[in-house]
Amino acid sequence: MKAAVGEGPSAALLGGRNPVVQHSSAIRKLQLSKMAGADGDDSLYPIAVLIDELRNEDVQLRLNSIKKLSTIALALGVERTRTELLPFLTDTIYDEDEVLLALAEQLGNFTMLVGGPEYVHCLLPPLESLATVEETVVRDKAVESLRKISQEHSPVDLEVHFEPLVKRLASGDWFTSRTSACGLFSVCYPRVSSTVKAEIRQHFRTLCSDDTPMVRRAAASKLGEFAKVLELDYVKSDIISLFTALASDEQDSVRLLAVEACVSIATLLPQEDLETLVMPTLRQAAEDKSWRVRYMVADKFSELQKAVGPEITKNDLVPAFQNLLKDCEAEVRAAAANKVKEFCENLPEDSREQIIMTHILPCVKELVSDTNQHVKSALASVIMGLSTILGKDNTVEHLLPLFLAQLKDECPEVRLNIISNLDCVNEVIGIRQLSQSLLPAIVELAEDAKWRVRLAIIEYMPLLAGQLGVEFFDEKLNTLCMAWLIDHVYAIREAATCNLMKLVEKFGAEWAQNTIVPKVLGMANDPNYLHRMTTLFCINALSEACGQEITTKQMLPVVLKMSNDQVANVRFNVAKSLQKIGPVLDSNALQTEVKPVLEKLATDTDMDVKYFAQEAISVLALA
């Protein structure tokens, strides 16, 4: 919405002039006379400019001024903020959306600037106008601010000022005001008289059956929140009937929001009422003709399970969950697959294993070979967690074949998700059982064409190394880790360097000296300058973990030799490396070996080499 820029501003504030045509000197006089008396305090001039900018043609200037509204209000004082600034702001509601959004946010923090809770109702008119605008984000922010300041109203002010505002919004001609009203019922309901409570319940009922789907959607999204503040009797008499109606709405966008409310409603009701009041509607939602509604049931399944308790879970939710895992829509199967571990964990202990083995595992076996990669990927991210629930024997017999099948899956995300959760299996059966299948999967991922897949597998390498042991690692994976150091993507080379450091921390300095360091130092003679630089990055990362002796005897001579490299990028990285490994070296090595090289680099023809050499001399105190 465009601003009616410069039209009808508050005469008291703007001195009756149009600031777009002419910046109002009246404003400045108004502010400076008020704030500085006759002192002519120039420090207050910026405040006057801010007020001028509230009506400037440039939207960015108006936005900047709105964001500094609290500064203007502080300068004006509480009385003039109430009597001049707020009416002026209410008049300017017709503006660009980003200005209105900033205004809605600012007003939520204005309580003390208008004189505290006693005068907080003065903020309601501009926020009421903002709650009716067309742009959703502005309305939502206005409702958020209204909810915030409702807590600062006294019970009397709430009934006198706030509750009438809610009624006006709820019975507005435009759907925009009615959607905003839905978010305000729950904040005022607990603190008003029983008569007003009855009126609020009636308004909410009306909005739940509004002709406009957007309003019913807003009501459905706030149904659970409203139910939480109602007395139990009214939950049973009012909310359940509204819940049933919204869950059968002709619009699936309304029905799916009713599923969300179901979680809140189920937690409020006693166990004996759930079967009759909630479950028929929930069963209907789980089999809804719209996949979006079924998706929402799958997505909220763990919360629903906790809300309805173990008995209903066994009798109703287990078959419903099976159906969702076999749903014809891939999105629903993926959402359900994501909840497999959580659902199994929350099953009653006395019958958990039997339910999983009989009802859940057959469905899981089917999903392992699902045609949709998102379903398989969702399952792979949680399936390993079942091993801790089912124990060693069941894992070896039933889950291990599934893990092995997923490790050979054509989709890299599936293989990656299995590898990233190996620690669960390691706790139960040890990783050796998987090692023969793991290796081809790791190698394939390590050489995947997508660099992000390669990056992800590098990040899991220290975990794998710790679980597989040093011998297996040296035999099968060491070569892979070194190959990453010369990958054509910098992010991979960088991650591979960090990976080496973590491996040294895990396997020790002696292992590094025998296995890693010679290979890293060998790259110093590589014809590709990027690979020579990787040597330096590795030395930076490894020096601390390897300790003084290895750094001084093996790494330092290589770094010093590289100071004669023909490529300036390598030379200035030599200076940076010497600065990095300096603290690990003893003072003799610093003075006799490092200092002469840095002094030579400080006179290099390349300005970057000079700069980093001088910085290293300064940091290492070698000057």
Side-chain angles (χ1 to χ4, degrees):
M1 274 186 293
K2 294 287 180 192
V5 181
E7 287 178 9
S10 161
L13 191 66
L14 290 181
R17 296 192 189 185
N18 183 339
V20 173
V21 179
Q22 178 184 355
H23 278 297
S24 174
S25 60
I27 301 174
R28 295 192 191 104
K29 287 175 188 169
L30 193 66
Q31 303 320 318
L32 298 174
S33 63
K34 174 73 181 175
M35 296 180 288
D39 298 342
D41 185 352
D42 287 345
S43 67
L44 298 170
Y45 180 79
I47 300 294
V49 173
L50 282 177
I51 295 170
D52 261 0
E53 285 173 356
L54 281 173
R55 274 300 202 174
N56 197 289
E57 261 185 343
D58 185 339
V59 67
Q60 193 56 50
L61 287 176
R62 296 202 301 280
L63 185 59
N64 292 344
S65 196
I66 287 287
K67 285 180 177 174
K68 293 171 183 167
L69 213 50
S70 55
T71 311
I72 297 173
L74 274 170
L76 285 171
V78 294
E79 190 177 331
R80 298 191 70 196
T81 296
R82 292 197 302 267
T83 57
E84 296 176 23
L85 183 60
L86 288 178
F88 166 65
L89 291 172
T90 309
D91 286 346
T92 66
I93 291 304
Y94 308 100
D95 206 329
E96 301 286 348
D97 293 331
E98 64 246 63
V99 177
L100 298 183
L101 180 63
L103 178 58
E105 187 172 6
Q106 290 284 321
L107 291 174
N109 305 312
F110 244 58
T111 304
M112 299 318 295
L113 297 171
V114 294
E118 188 184 343
Y119 296 100
V120 73
H121 59 83
C122 298
L123 296 171
L124 297 181
L127 283 170
E128 181 177 355
S129 298
L130 289 166
T132 64
V133 299
E134 197 175 332
E135 179 53 51
T136 310
V137 288
V138 177
R139 292 202 308 272
D140 289 347
K141 186 57 75 175
V143 169
E144 189 184 312
S145 291
L146 282 167
R147 287 167 68 94
K148 193 173 179 182
I149 66 170
S150 71
Q151 306 306 318
E152 290 158 346
H153 281 70
S154 67
V156 174
D157 281 346
L158 205 64
E159 285 200 23
V160 173
H161 300 288
F162 196 87
E163 199 267 336
L165 171 146
V166 178
K167 282 185 191 169
R168 285 195 298 276
L169 289 174
S171 50
D173 291 337
W174 287 90
F175 79 90
T176 51
S177 71
R178 301 200 298 278
T179 55
S180 293
C182 295
L184 299 173
F185 292 117
S186 60
V187 290
C188 58
Y189 186 88
R191 298 170 59 211
V192 293
S193 64
S194 52
T195 317
V196 177
K197 280 182 177 179
E199 289 175 16
I200 290 175
R201 289 196 303 275
Q202 182 52 51
H203 278 295
F204 192 78
R205 268 198 301 275
T206 307
L207 293 180
C208 283
S209 54
D210 196 277
D211 291 339
T212 312
M214 281 84 87
V215 178
R216 298 201 301 279
R217 203 156 60 222
S221 70
K222 298 297 178 185
L223 184 64
E225 182 188 282
F226 189 49
K228 285 178 184 173
V229 299
L230 255 64
E231 299 79 0
L232 184 59
D233 288 347
Y234 292 122
V235 172
K236 290 181 185 178
S237 61
D238 289 23
I239 295 294
I240 294 297
S241 59
L242 297 176
F243 166 60
T244 309
L246 290 168
S248 311
D249 195 275
E250 62 187 28
Q251 297 278 335
D252 62 358
S253 60
V254 176
R255 298 201 299 277
L256 65 87
L257 289 167
V259 172
E260 217 167 322
C262 182
V263 178
S264 304
I265 295 166
T267 52
L268 298 171
L269 292 170
Q271 195 68 31
E272 61 271 16
D273 291 327
L274 285 173
E275 183 55 53
T276 51
L277 300 179
V278 173
M279 287 316 295
T281 309
L282 184 54
R283 285 188 205 106
Q284 173 191 318
E287 295 170 2
D288 197 278
K289 63 179 184 286
S290 166
W291 72 266
R292 289 183 181 83
V293 179
R294 301 197 302 277
Y295 172 89
M296 185 59 88
V297 174
D299 191 50
K300 299 287 173 191
F301 215 85
S302 302
E303 294 162 58
L304 288 166
Q305 180 186 7
K306 287 174 187 168
V308 300
E311 280 309 307
I312 291 177
T313 294
K314 275 196 284 190
N315 301 333
D316 278 284
L317 293 196
V318 171
F321 194 58
Q322 282 178 284
N323 290 337
L324 292 169
L325 288 170
K326 296 174 184 174
D327 199 274
C328 58
E329 285 292 338
E331 283 88 347
V332 179
R333 295 199 302 279
N338 233 329
K339 300 291 175 186
V340 164
K341 180 193 168 192
E342 227 177 315
F343 179 73
C344 293
E345 274 176 338
N346 295 329
L347 286 168
E349 270 188 56
D350 57 343
S351 54
R352 182 187 295 160
E353 191 175 324
Q354 182 262 324
I355 291 172
I356 295 172
M357 300 304 292
T358 315
H359 300 289
I360 306 301
L361 203 56
C363 300
V364 168
K365 284 177 181 174
E366 285 178 35
L367 292 180
V368 167
S369 53
D370 197 277
T371 51
N372 185 285
Q373 70 176 53
H374 299 296
V375 176
K376 291 187 290 187
S377 185
L379 181 66
S381 65
V382 296
I383 190 172
M384 307 293 265
L386 292 179
S387 55
T388 51
I389 300 168
L390 289 175
K392 186 173 181 178
D393 294 341
N394 282 327
T395 298
V396 172
E397 189 180 342
H398 297 285
L399 295 179
L400 198 55
L402 303 182
F403 301 156
L404 297 174
Q406 291 197 297
L407 276 172
K408 294 171 186 164
D409 196 275
E410 61 194 20
C411 173
E413 279 81 10
V414 175
R415 302 195 298 272
L416 200 57
N417 281 345
I418 289 290
I419 289 168
S420 64
N421 289 288
L422 279 172
D423 48 336
C424 303
V425 180
N426 195 36
E427 288 170 25
V428 181
I429 61 168
I431 213 166
R432 288 284 168 184
Q433 305 241 26
L434 275 172
S435 59
Q436 291 314 309
S437 294
L438 258 180
L439 197 61
I442 291 167
V443 171
E444 272 187 48
L445 289 166
E447 295 168 354
D448 195 275
K450 297 187 185 115
W451 70 267
R452 291 182 192 279
V453 175
R454 300 200 299 279
L455 185 63
I457 191 68
I458 293 174
E459 286 166 359
Y460 293 117
M461 199 50 76
L463 174 74
L464 285 169
Q467 290 168 354
L468 291 164
V470 68
E471 288 166 23
F472 186 94
F473 182 83
D474 281 348
E475 186 188 338
K476 310 285 188 186
L477 300 176
N478 197 336
T479 316
L480 213 53
C481 289
M482 299 311 296
W484 282 322
L485 290 171
I486 53 172
D487 194 280
H488 65 276
V489 176
Y490 173 73
I492 302 293
R493 299 197 299 274
E494 185 182 37
T497 306
C498 295
N499 172 49
L500 284 188
M501 183 179 71
K502 289 173 186 169
L503 290 171
V504 172
E505 286 168 0
K506 206 171 275 288
F507 292 150
E510 191 181 336
W511 171 82
Q513 187 176 6
N514 299 328
T515 315
I516 296 292
V517 174
K519 291 179 181 176
V520 167
L521 299 182
M523 288 165 57
N525 301 315
D526 195 292
N528 186 329
Y529 86 94
L530 293 171
H531 299 167
R532 300 200 295 277
M533 278 168 59
T534 303
T535 299
L536 294 170
F537 299 150
C538 288
I539 288 171
N540 294 349
L542 296 176
S543 59
E544 203 171 328
C546 288
Q548 190 181 85
E549 191 180 345
I550 297 172
T551 304
T552 308
K553 289 184 178 174
Q554 290 182 262
M555 296 184 189
L556 181 60
V558 173
V559 178
L560 297 174
K561 185 183 171 190
M562 291 173 77
S563 66
N564 298 315
D565 199 283
Q566 291 180 331
V567 179
N569 284 32
V570 177
R571 296 199 301 278
F572 80 62
N573 272 292
V574 166
K576 289 168 83 171
S577 287
L578 289 172
Q579 181 182 324
K580 174 76 178 168
I581 69 174
V584 180
L585 305 169
D586 61 28
S587 57
N588 182 43
L590 280 171
Q591 289 297 331
T592 60
E593 297 181 68
V594 174
K595 186 177 179 181
V597 169
L598 284 174
E599 284 174 344
K600 185 185 80 173
L601 291 173
T603 60
D604 197 277
T605 52
D606 186 277
M607 59 187 295
D608 290 324
V609 178
K610 269 196 221 176
Y611 170 79
F612 286 110
Q614 285 162 357
E615 188 182 70
I617 290 169
S618 167
V619 169
L620 296 173
L622 296 175

